């Protein structure tokens, strides 16, 4: 469509028989405009293909009506991006905000997309994940008073908005389950060193082992971020060396499948015992079934979107935090009656 042919506020107003200011407020869902009028104006705008001129809107209001989601691609967490986006878009529905996804790959500095958004004022709010205890991105956004929310916590003294999963609770429950099933040398597949949630996983796992009086082991040489082929090879090497733990806590489905495949390939599938965190329906299709604990990423995305909107509106950070509880274990092939 040629630029001069694009529908404008004036052309929508002419069809609606209303003033331009009234149409503008109706399209912004201003409650001062009658609900019936708002619906009629919005229907007309949709029929004629009207969309706001974002450049002019930004000049006039100083707002972009954009929420930027800096997404770290996660091979080890199935459906991470799609589930988060589904929840975020649900939270932003019927608001003037649009979600823009900005990928941040492992070979690029994590601060790079945040600096880009701040420097060029590309968004009214930012969403980040994979936090560290002293996260430079969060310190920068706090200093520049940029509304944001993080998926994950930090150890910064200044409060900030976040949504996080109770990884301590997950690891504690998973290790307790393995020990109750007879494990005396359970093992944790760790998260990457330096991530805040890596500390939570480790503390929950070791707490459960200490309570039961067993020697827990945090696996060295691999992490949740490694490719499944590498995890598979590492576990295979442990089997050949006779150094295999008797139970695994897996913070993701991919690591669980790699560990089970290594046991199967060595002819020891019956010896594979694990509890995994699952984030997708794939967990229900793994055979044999393993005990698992759910992390609802879509719910996390929805809550993040809701809290970020409140942060943009000026609510204090202290009221914009939410810890997602680890639900009860979904039974698989472990039995709590088994003893050493």
């Amino acid at each position: 469509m040629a630029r001069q042919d694009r529908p404008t506020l004036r052309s929508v107003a002419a069809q609606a028989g209303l003033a331009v200011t009234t149409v503008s407020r109706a399209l912004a869902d201003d409650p001062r405009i009658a609900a019936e009028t708002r619906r009629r104006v919005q229907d007309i705008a949709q029929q004629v293909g009207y969309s706001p001129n974002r450049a002019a809107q930004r000049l006039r209001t100083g707002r972009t009506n954009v929420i930027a989601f800096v997404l770290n691609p996660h091979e080890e967490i199935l459906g991470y991006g799609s589930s988060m986006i589904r929840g975020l878009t649900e939270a932003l529905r019927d608001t003037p905000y649009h979600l823009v996804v900005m990928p941040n790959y492992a070979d690029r500095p994590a601060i790079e997309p945040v600096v880009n958004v701040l420097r060029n004022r590309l968004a009214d709010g930012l969403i980040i994940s994979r936090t560290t205890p002293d996260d430079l991105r969060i310190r920068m956004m706090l200093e520049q008073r940029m509304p944001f929310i993080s998926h994950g916590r930090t150890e910064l003294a200044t409060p900030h908005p976040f949504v996080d999963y109770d990884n301590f609770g997950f690891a504690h429950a998973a290790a307790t389950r393995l020990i109750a099933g007879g494990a005396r040398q359970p093992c944790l597949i760790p998260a990457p060193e330096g991530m805040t949630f890596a500390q939570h996983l480790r503390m929950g796992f070791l707490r459960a082992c200490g309570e039961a009086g067993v020697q827990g082991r945090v696996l060295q040489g691999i992490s949740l971020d490694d490719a499944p082929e590498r995890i598979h090879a590492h576990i295979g090497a442990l089997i050949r060396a006779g150094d295999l733990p008797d139970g695994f806590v897996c913070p993701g489905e991919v690591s669980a499948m790699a560990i089970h495949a290594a046991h199967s390939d060595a002819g020891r599938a019956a010896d594979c015992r694990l509890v995994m965190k699952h984030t997708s329906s794939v967990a229900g299709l793994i055979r044999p079934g393993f005990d698992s604990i759910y992390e609802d990423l879509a719910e996390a995305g929805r809550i993040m979107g809701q809290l970020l909107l409140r942060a943009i509106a000026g609510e204090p950070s202290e009221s914009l935090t939410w810890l997602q509880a680890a639900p009860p274990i979904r039974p698989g092939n472990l039995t709590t009656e088994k003893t050493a």
Side-chain angles (χ1 to χ4, degrees):
M1 185 181 293
R3 183 180 298 273
Q4 62 268 25
D5 295 332
R6 291 175 182 170
T8 64
L9 277 177
R10 291 186 182 280
S11 56
V12 175
Q15 287 207 36
L18 298 168
V20 172
T21 54
T22 303
V23 168
S24 177
R25 289 174 178 170
L27 291 174
D29 222 19
D30 190 330
R32 291 174 294 182
I33 305 298
E36 184 179 343
T37 301
R38 278 182 276 158
R39 282 195 298 271
R40 186 165 67 87
V41 169
Q42 290 164 6
D43 286 345
I44 292 172
Q46 186 174 15
Q47 289 167 12
V48 301
Y50 169 79
S51 61
N53 185 321
R54 296 200 176 280
Q57 192 176 60
R58 181 175 178 180
L59 287 172
R60 186 175 67 255
T61 66
R63 291 196 174 275
T64 63
N65 284 345
V66 167
I67 300 296
F69 177 28
V70 180
L71 176 63
N72 305 77
H74 292 167
E75 287 187 5
E76 79 286 357
I77 304 294
L78 293 178
Y80 182 88
S82 59
S83 297
M84 280 284 187
I85 290 169
R86 185 168 72 250
L88 286 166
T89 52
E90 181 184 335
L92 299 179
R93 185 186 300 165
D94 300 326
T95 76
Y97 290 99
H98 296 261
L99 184 68
V100 172
V101 178
M102 305 178 67
N104 180 218
Y105 295 100
D107 61 346
R108 303 296 303 170
I111 194 71
E112 193 174 85
V114 174
V115 170
N116 186 32
V117 171
L118 291 174
R119 179 179 294 153
N120 298 295
R121 283 291 162 184
L122 299 178
D124 298 330
L126 256 171
I127 302 164
I128 64 168
S129 62
R130 308 277 280 186
T131 55
T132 62
D134 182 27
D135 202 297
L136 176 60
R137 301 169 299 172
I138 289 179
R139 288 198 280 119
M140 181 177 290
M141 289 186 287
L142 287 170
E143 289 168 2
Q144 299 204 22
R145 299 182 181 278
M146 176 68 166
F148 75 93
I149 191 161
S150 62
H151 188 228
R153 287 168 280 175
T154 69
E155 295 177 0
L156 295 172
T158 306
H160 65 83
F162 71 80
V163 167
D164 201 8
Y165 180 77
D166 183 10
N167 282 291
F168 178 98
F170 157 74
H172 185 277
T176 299
R177 181 73 160 184
L178 285 169
I179 294 164
R184 288 299 173 263
Q185 293 180 325
C187 176
L188 170 69
I189 305 299
E193 199 65 37
M195 299 292 174
T196 309
F197 83 104
Q199 298 180 5
H200 299 157
L201 286 169
R202 181 187 297 261
M203 289 188 294
F205 173 76
L206 294 177
R207 172 75 65 82
C209 293
E211 290 170 351
V214 303
Q215 187 65 43
R217 174 179 172 185
V218 178
L219 202 61
Q220 303 297 310
I222 59 170
S223 80
L224 188 63
D225 270 10
D226 283 314
E229 296 82 5
R230 189 166 187 276
I231 296 174
H232 175 276
H234 190 90
I235 300 302
L238 292 180
I239 293 174
R240 290 189 295 275
D243 187 29
L244 187 67
D246 59 3
F248 293 87
V249 173
C250 302
E253 290 122 317
V254 173
S255 58
M257 287 188 284
I259 289 169
H260 179 250
H263 281 76
S264 296
D265 291 347
R268 296 186 57 177
D271 297 331
C272 184
R273 293 193 294 163
L274 59 86
V275 178
M276 63 182 171
K277 183 197 294 182
H278 76 276
T279 54
S280 74
S281 59
V282 169
L285 303 177
I286 298 175
R287 298 293 182 271
F290 291 103
D291 282 17
S292 62
I293 300 175
Y294 186 47
E295 179 178 3
D296 191 336
L297 293 171
E299 181 186 41
R302 180 175 55 80
I303 299 295
M304 284 169 62
Q306 292 171 349
L307 294 183
L308 181 54
L309 291 174
R310 288 163 55 185
I312 292 171
E315 270 195 50
S317 295
E318 292 82 354
S319 62
L320 302 176
T321 62
W322 186 67
L323 184 62
Q324 188 176 18
I329 291 177
R330 186 182 73 174
N333 69 340
L334 286 179
T335 60
T336 56
E337 294 78 19
K338 187 174 179 180
T339 58

